[in-house]
Amino acid sequence: MSHVLTVLPAAAGALTESGQTSTAEAVLFWVLGPIMVLAALGLLFARKAVHAALAVVLVMISLAFLYVAQGAEFLGVVQVVVYTGAVMMLFLFVLMLVGVDRSDSLVETIRGQRWIGVLAGLGLGVVLAGVVGRATYGTPAGIEEANAGSNPAAIAHLIFGQHVFAMEVVGALLVTAALGALVLTHRQRLTRKVGQRERAERRLREGGYPVSLPAPGVYARHNALDVPALDPEGRPIEASVPRVLRVRGQEADAREYAARIDRVLAGGWATGAGTFTSNRDVDDPHGRTAPTPGTPGTDATETDDEEGAR
Amino acid sequence: MHTLISLTAPAVVPAVEPVVAADWPGADAAVLLVALPLLSAAVLLLLGRRSDRWGHWLGVLASAGSFVVGVVLLLGMLGLPAEQRVHDVHLGTWLDAGALSIDAGLRVDPLSLTFVLLVTFVGTLIHVYSVAYMEHDAARRRFFAYLNLFVAAMLLLVLADSYVLLFVGWEGVGLASYLLIGFWNHHTPYAVAAKKAFVANRVGDVGLLVAMGLMFATFGSLDFSTVHANVAQASESTLTLIGIALLVAACGKSAQFPLQSWLGDAMAGPTPVSALIHAATMVTAGVYLIVRSGVIYAGAPTAQLVVAIIGAITLLFGAVVGCAKDDIKKALAASTMSQIGYMVLAAGLGPIGYAFAIFHLVTHGFFKAGMFLGAGSVMHGMDDQVDMRRFGGLGRYMKITYFTFMAGWLAILGIPPFAGFFSKDKIIEAAFVPVDGQPWRAWVFGTIALLGAGITAFYMSRLFFMTFEGKKRWSETRDGHEQHPHESPALMWVPMAVLAVGSVALGWVLQAVGFVTWLEPSVGHAEHEEPVLGVPVLIGLTLIAVALGLALAWRRYAVSTVPVAPPVGTVLTRAARVDLYQDAVNDAVLVEPGQYLTRSLVYGDKAVVDGAVTGLARLTVGTGDLVRRAQNGFARSYAAVMVVGVVVLAVVVLAVRG
Amino acid sequence: MSLTHYLVLAAILFAIGATTVLLRRNAIIVFMGVELMLNSTNLLLVTFSRMHGNLSGQVLAFFVMVVAAAEVVVGLAIIVTIFRTRRSASVDDVNLLKS
């Protein structure tokens, strides 16, 4: 890591005798400062939460720059890693969970809250700025001396030396927080988990079809999903047509095929052979005008109902 | 006859010191007097319907048992010399609270024993009478329980050796009276009458309580012996106050002016109750109280004068009311009031009258109870009719009732030699005795007593003639019922006959055995003193007044036809019919201001007290409503408050630090 | 340019973050406002650290970051839970403080 830091300006955080920053730092500040303020205002005004989150990310990255510029290289890196890398990404995850496309309504529901909020915010800013501006500081000492060696090393000395207990406590806090998050988002299962086996058993219990449904009628001369299969007696099996087609009303008229089959069985091979070519021929008026009486239509509706119920 | 009359005048009143009953163990039996009827009442009330079949006979037995015990005590006492006849039977310490220590004890002396015998004897007769009279009442057993309770309370009242225990009996008879007046409380007017009697009695009770408070403050004790022994130490004004308070108590209990209004309404109770409680015994408790407290009155002449005045007023008041009443029971009640007025007047005359007051009380107990029972018998035969204008000629149908009632009638008139002559005439004579050398008192009270005798003769004769003489004014049917007057069963007429014998002979007998002397250990001895007129003159005047009243009543109610509908009458008659506007006066003076006060208090309570409370509550609610708006539950609002707070804090800090 | 400029910038960011908390209703954006406020204080701490020539400020900023990370984890978990039960991420819908 140290060789990374050496790339940074060696005199990061160096001050002039009168406590002024270097010109480079001033330029950096004046570039980043307005960006940060604008981005922060973006947080305030963005309609969409994702935009707000991105604005905050921008602020935080800028902050990281300012940290490094002020001789807090370690914090700058941590800022990027922890805040922009972890925390803000967590925010984005949660946003996706909650609904990314939700935009905040701008209509204020609490009477007077908007004015109170604006005034309080402005007042806070003015008062804080006033306090900071009016306070008198001694000549800034600069951070170079404290950063002798390197900033991470110096901070490490402090954290693991003087503040080691706080460090441990904070570690415990983090673990607790992680556990807390687990507990909070954990959903108690109130019923037993329903697996494949339970589902199959339930279907049987309810008198469902024990085996797989018959395949649709696939014949040598006509093969399409919308044609019902025929049982050994020549009656069409409604359930063999996929339910989606039946619901949409796209199933072919089973009675018609039954009639044709009857004709075929009666030796009428040649008649109407051409009409067996395609599914669309179902709509052919010729085909519909010759239903054979005795074809079970009622049975079909019953089967249909049962399927629909399933 | 006048030789029998030995008037006595006040000398020093020698209250005989009570003797501890060590030398007469039999006195302890006095406890049984109270215990027997009390036990019977408890049994009857606790066993309930299970004792319905035999309960009335148990009641009779308890009362008779008490009478037997009373007779035994009498015999025991007669064997003692006169100065040993006052006994205190100690029962035990009852209340022991700081300076107030009260022993429960019974005083057996001639006075209390007289009452015991009167109450138990008349009471037993009336019990027997009630067995038949209440035969068709579903609640007869309860009636006998109440009667026994009354007898027990009355005996406790007269036997108590302290004012506190007396007060227990005093309240007990009040309770029993209330229960019995309202015995048929499903009739609203009867229940109201019971309540009225109860409330009027409470007014009197306040007097007794005040008297007890004054006595305790003055003497530090409430038993008769201590109080009476220390009377000399108290100032006259204190004694006067105590005397007046005791008089208030007596007025309430004995229906004396101005607390007399309840007695007429109390006739709502069954007739035996009227006979026992509201004629013979309970209403005389006031006289007993005054006579028992004679030592106090001896030290308070003013109070004594007030007693006499109240008695005189009530005497005339009751007599005037009695002349106008058409309800046979209410006429008898007015007569009772008037006769007790005589007793109170006598008691107000001081020791000279005490014995005669008690004498008259006893004879009155007999003849008035007899007359009430006669009235009950008439009602029994007349289907509970009480309007005398619808009687008439009943003497032909109820011979026994007629003669027994006649005995009572002649007795109350004071015709020699019936009982009233010996008692009432002596009160009249005593009233004519000048007290403290003030002849005006003798003239005033004497004239009133004489006048009262005349009026009494008139209204009692009116009652008698309207009921038993003249033409019949009742119809064969009434309210669809057939009406045929008949004699009452033996269970009813035998007690009436016994009482009639008492009405005839009791005065003479008591005179002969020296009843006045017998009472002396209790009420003190009074020296003979001459009335302002000669005794034979007074007797003559009295008899003339009685004869005049009798003749007038004979002319108006026996010879001439009595209208069935009451005539309009004179102003006095109309006033007397409504008890001389006593109820109206009570309503105007007490009830209405009381109700107005209550309403104002209710209004004040609602407006001021409730107003303050609810106002406070409303203020709290209102403040809460205002503050609640700040608590809208939105986290952002709270955050806004925090931020504003921070800003304000910072501004303040900056401003302070300049 | 003096270091005060950093402080003023931090103050401005802090005020904007606070205003966001007050004005926005989407719980996630409100949360981001909180993060912005934390970051502005970090900038303040770093600047102070430089003024004093002392690394304690930076160490403190480091701890703030860690705590903020923990806080974000828990806070987002809460938001997700609330969203699951109420199908909303608006802070105004959670006014259960008012019964």
Side-chain angles (χ1 to χ4, degrees):
Chain A
M1 191 138 162
S2 60
H3 69 278
V4 177
L5 288 174
T6 50
V7 180
L8 292 166
L15 293 170
T16 60
E17 283 301 312
S18 59
Q20 298 295 307
T21 57
S22 64
T23 315
E25 195 183 340
V27 170
L28 182 70
F29 179 84
W30 285 115
V31 170
L32 287 182
I35 290 175
M36 286 165 71
V37 172
L38 284 178
L41 287 174
L43 167 67
L44 190 50
F45 293 113
R47 293 286 300 270
K48 292 198 170 183
V50 175
H51 296 171
L54 291 177
V56 174
V57 169
L58 185 56
V59 173
M60 287 177 175
I61 290 178
S62 309
L63 270 175
F65 277 104
L66 291 187
Y67 290 164
V68 174
Q70 295 215 67
E73 292 90 352
F74 175 71
L75 275 187
V77 173
V78 169
Q79 173 82 5
V80 173
V81 171
V82 172
Y83 263 114
T84 46
V87 170
M88 288 319 295
M89 292 311 112
L90 195 56
F91 267 102
L92 285 175
F93 275 131
V94 171
L95 272 176
M96 281 191 288
L97 211 62
V98 167
V100 134
D101 53 346
R102 241 167 233 268
S103 56
D104 214 1
S105 161
L106 290 181
V107 180
E108 182 57 61
T109 47
I110 308 173
R111 202 158 55 89
Q113 174 75 13
R114 175 165 292 172
W115 292 112
I116 292 174
V118 168
L119 286 177
L122 277 179
L124 191 64
V126 169
V127 169
L128 286 181
V131 171
V132 169
R134 283 173 54 128
T136 47
Y137 311 96
T139 310
I143 202 75
E144 295 88 354
E145 256 181 70
N147 269 350
S150 75
N151 171 255
I155 284 184
H157 272 294
L158 271 180
I159 288 176
F160 294 105
Q162 193 178 347
H163 300 293
V164 68
F165 182 69
M167 182 69 193
E168 300 288 340
V169 170
V170 162
L173 178 70
L174 267 179
V175 174
T176 312
L179 275 176
L182 277 178
V183 170
L184 276 172
T185 51
H186 176 69
R187 232 191 293 212
Q188 187 80 35
R189 179 172 284 286
L190 298 174
T191 54
R192 215 159 62 81
K193 189 178 178 188
V194 181
Q196 195 179 12
R197 181 185 191 82
E198 285 80 13
R199 260 178 243 220
E201 282 169 353
R202 193 181 66 186
R203 197 170 66 185
L204 279 183
R205 227 182 10 255
E206 290 170 355
Y209 218 71
V211 294
S212 53
L213 290 171
V218 179
Y219 310 110
R221 298 185 55 191
H222 183 96
N223 113 14
L225 286 176
D226 62 343
V227 182
L230 298 177
D231 66 2
E233 292 180 12
R235 286 187 301 239
I237 302 170
E238 288 286 329
S240 63
V241 179
R243 198 173 56 180
V244 177
L245 292 184
R246 272 184 284 136
V247 170
R248 287 185 188 163
Q250 290 175 336
E251 122 194 69
D253 190 349
R255 287 169 301 183
E256 179 150 348
Y257 292 102
R260 287 182 191 174
I261 288 161
D262 283 345
R263 281 200 296 276
V264 170
L265 289 178
W269 286 93
T271 50
T275 57
F276 278 85
T277 47
S278 93
N279 187 18
R280 278 193 286 168
D281 284 347
V282 174
D283 295 332
D284 187 341
H286 285 291
R288 285 204 216 165
T289 47
T292 307
T295 310
T298 48
D299 283 0
T301 43
E302 273 174 19
T303 328
D304 198 9
D305 281 351
E306 192 183 308
E307 271 302 304
R310 186 192 299 176
Chain B
M1 190 75 64
H2 68 272
T3 48
L4 288 171
I5 298 153
S6 58
L7 276 176
T8 50
V12 180
V13 182
V16 175
E17 285 298 316
V19 180
V20 179
D23 54 339
W24 184 31
D28 287 338
V31 179
L32 281 178
L33 289 171
V34 183
L36 281 177
L38 194 62
L39 197 67
S40 167
V43 166
L44 291 181
L45 285 176
L46 291 178
L47 280 189
R49 292 215 186 103
R50 267 160 297 203
S51 54
D52 267 354
R53 280 192 305 121
W54 44 269
H56 42 281
W57 289 116
L58 177 67
V60 173
L61 207 64
S63 182
S66 280
F67 175 66
V68 171
V69 174
V71 170
V72 170
L73 282 174
L74 174 71
L75 294 177
M77 187 175 284
L78 286 177
L80 296 171
E83 59 270 18
Q84 286 182 20
R85 282 180 180 173
V86 180
H87 283 269
D88 275 350
V89 181
H90 184 73
L91 295 180
T93 303
W94 177 29
L95 297 176
D96 189 7
L100 179 68
S101 174
I102 292 163
D103 290 348
L106 302 180
R107 167 168 289 202
V108 183
D109 68 351
L111 179 60
S112 64
L113 207 55
T114 305
F115 265 91
V116 165
L117 290 172
L118 173 69
V119 170
T120 53
F121 183 68
V122 176
T124 306
L125 289 178
I126 289 171
H127 274 71
V128 172
Y129 178 92
S130 306
V131 171
Y133 189 85
M134 301 294 286
E135 192 173 1
H136 303 297
D137 198 297
R140 178 164 67 164
R141 188 251 326 149
R142 188 161 55 91
F143 180 81
F144 274 86
Y146 292 164
L147 274 189
N148 276 172
L149 179 65
F150 167 77
V151 169
M154 188 71 202
L155 292 177
L156 183 65
L157 193 162
V158 297
L159 282 169
D161 76 339
S162 69
Y163 283 97
V164 180
L165 200 58
L166 179 144
F167 189 68
V168 174
W170 189 268
E171 292 298 309
V173 293
L175 170 70
S177 160
Y178 167 76
L179 290 172
L180 286 166
I181 294 171
F183 188 72
W184 291 317
N185 54 16
H186 41 89
H187 292 301
T188 308
Y190 292 4
V192 170
K195 199 169 69 181
K196 186 176 176 183
F198 199 72
V199 171
N201 269 295
R202 293 293 80 72
V203 178
D205 295 344
V206 172
L208 189 49
L209 282 172
V210 169
M212 285 199 288
L214 285 169
M215 282 181 215
F216 183 68
T218 314
F219 308 114
S221 174
L222 287 173
D223 54 296
F224 293 151
S225 19
T226 317
V227 170
H228 294 174
N230 296 327
V231 159
Q233 301 166 7
S235 67
E236 188 181 325
S237 58
T238 311
L239 290 178
T240 305
L241 276 178
I242 295 175
I244 297 288
L246 286 173
L247 176 64
V248 170
C251 284
K253 195 57 87 188
S254 294
Q256 297 298 292
F257 183 84
L259 295 175
Q260 84 286 22
S261 65
W262 63 273
L263 188 60
D265 291 338
M267 295 301 123
T271 308
V273 172
S274 310
L276 177 62
I277 300 184
H278 305 123
T281 54
M282 185 191 87
V283 286
T284 58
V287 181
Y288 168 80
L289 184 68
I290 294 173
V291 172
R292 181 60 93 189
S293 310
V295 187
I296 293 173
Y297 285 104
T302 315
Q304 204 164 35
L305 179 61
V306 175
V307 171
I309 290 172
I310 292 292
I313 291 176
T314 316
L315 185 170
L316 282 182
F317 193 106
V320 169
V321 171
C323 293
K325 290 287 183 186
D326 290 331
D327 182 324
I328 185 169
K329 284 180 73 180
K330 292 201 171 173
L332 284 173
S335 157
T336 304
M337 205 189 291
S338 172
Q339 294 303 308
I340 297 172
Y342 268 111
M343 301 173 208
V344 173
L345 171 63
L349 296 173
I352 186 176
Y354 289 155
F356 298 141
I358 301 300
F359 194 176
H360 190 53
L361 193 155
V362 172
T363 56
H364 172 258
F366 273 76
F367 61 67
K368 185 54 69 57
M371 280 192 285
F372 260 114
L373 295 189
S377 174
V378 169
M379 286 162 62
H380 183 80
M382 293 294 288
D383 209 6
D384 282 343
Q385 174 67 273
V386 290
D387 188 356
M388 291 192 290
R389 291 186 183 276
R390 296 184 182 275
F391 290 159
L394 288 177
R396 291 186 290 281
Y397 298 88
M398 311 173 168
K399 288 284 180 207
I400 304 174
T401 307
Y402 174 70
F403 283 114
T404 54
F405 203 101
M406 180 187 273
W409 167 57
L410 292 174
I412 196 172
L413 255 55
I415 306 284
F418 291 94
F421 171 74
F422 295 93
S423 54
K424 194 170 75 176
D425 278 17
K426 266 192 271 186
I427 291 178
I428 296 172
E429 285 156 24
F432 271 107
V433 170
V435 179
D436 300 337
Q438 291 172 304
W440 68 267
R441 280 177 60 167
W443 284 110
V444 168
F445 291 133
T447 312
I448 289 176
L450 195 58
L451 192 62
I455 304 177
T456 305
F458 171 73
Y459 71 77
M460 285 313 295
S461 304
R462 169 180 179 268
L463 190 154
F464 185 75
F465 293 148
M466 279 174 91
T467 306
F468 294 103
E469 302 289 346
K471 297 195 184 75
K472 75 165 194 176
R473 294 184 298 276
W474 37 275
S475 48
E476 297 295 336
T477 57
R478 172 173 163 242
D479 299 340
H481 294 291
E482 217 168 305
Q483 196 164 237
H484 45 88
H486 54 275
E487 190 49 77
S488 302
L491 272 180
M492 283 169 72
W493 67 254
V494 169
M496 284 155 60
V498 174
L499 289 172
V501 170
S503 309
V504 173
L506 192 63
W508 179 79
V509 170
L510 288 183
Q511 181 76 30
V513 300
F515 183 68
V516 173
T517 322
W518 148 261
L519 280 179
E520 267 177 9
S522 296
V523 301
H525 176 73
E527 290 301 329
H528 177 84
E529 198 159 322
E530 279 301 323
V532 287
L533 293 172
V535 173
V537 180
L538 284 177
I539 293 175
L541 280 175
T542 311
L543 287 178
I544 288 170
V546 168
L548 279 177
L550 180 60
L552 186 62
W554 173 261
R555 201 171 66 79
R556 287 190 60 181
Y557 299 103
V559 180
S560 54
T561 312
V562 178
V564 172
V568 179
T570 62
V571 177
L572 185 62
T573 311
R574 287 201 299 272
R577 275 185 195 142
V578 290
D579 299 336
L580 297 178
Y581 302 116
Q582 175 69 25
D583 282 342
V585 170
N586 280 354
D587 274 354
V589 176
L590 298 171
V591 178
E592 274 169 25
Q595 285 175 345
Y596 183 77
L597 179 69
T598 313
R599 277 199 293 272
S600 342
L601 286 179
V602 167
Y603 176 79
D605 178 55
K606 275 189 182 147
V608 180
V609 179
D610 287 7
V613 174
T614 53
L616 202 62
R618 263 195 218 115
L619 185 70
T620 315
V621 169
T623 318
D625 263 346
L626 280 179
V627 176
R628 189 165 59 89
R629 299 224 179 114
Q631 304 293 324
N632 55 9
F634 293 116
R636 288 196 295 141
S637 285
Y638 302 153
V641 171
M642 282 165 64
V643 173
V644 170
V646 167
V647 173
V648 168
L649 203 62
V651 168
V652 167
V653 169
L654 284 183
V656 168
R657 295 192 55 191
Chain C
M1 189 193 89
S2 73
L3 292 180
T4 316
H5 289 76
Y6 285 110
L7 303 180
V8 173
L9 177 64
I12 290 169
L13 290 180
F14 189 90
I16 291 174
T19 315
T20 307
V21 172
L22 295 192
L23 292 187
R24 299 305 296 255
R25 268 172 296 166
N26 189 328
I28 300 168
I29 295 181
V30 168
F31 221 158
M32 288 195 271
V34 175
E35 292 302 314
L36 189 59
M37 286 156 80
L38 283 171
N39 270 298
S40 75
T41 51
N42 277 354
L43 178 59
L44 217 58
L45 287 170
V46 169
T47 312
F48 283 145
S49 165
R50 193 177 174 198
M51 279 181 177
H52 292 287
N54 187 334
L55 283 178
S56 288
Q58 292 189 14
V59 171
L60 191 51
F62 172 75
F63 283 132
V64 167
M65 280 180 190
V66 179
V67 173
E71 173 232 338
V72 162
V73 169
V74 176
L76 285 178
I78 290 173
I79 287 172
V80 167
T81 313
I82 289 175
F83 182 78
R84 255 194 220 147
T85 51
R86 306 178 68 94
R87 312 306 304 169
S88 163
S90 166
V91 287
D92 287 359
D93 289 344
V94 195
N95 60 345
L96 293 177
L97 287 177
K98 182 184 184 183
S99 64

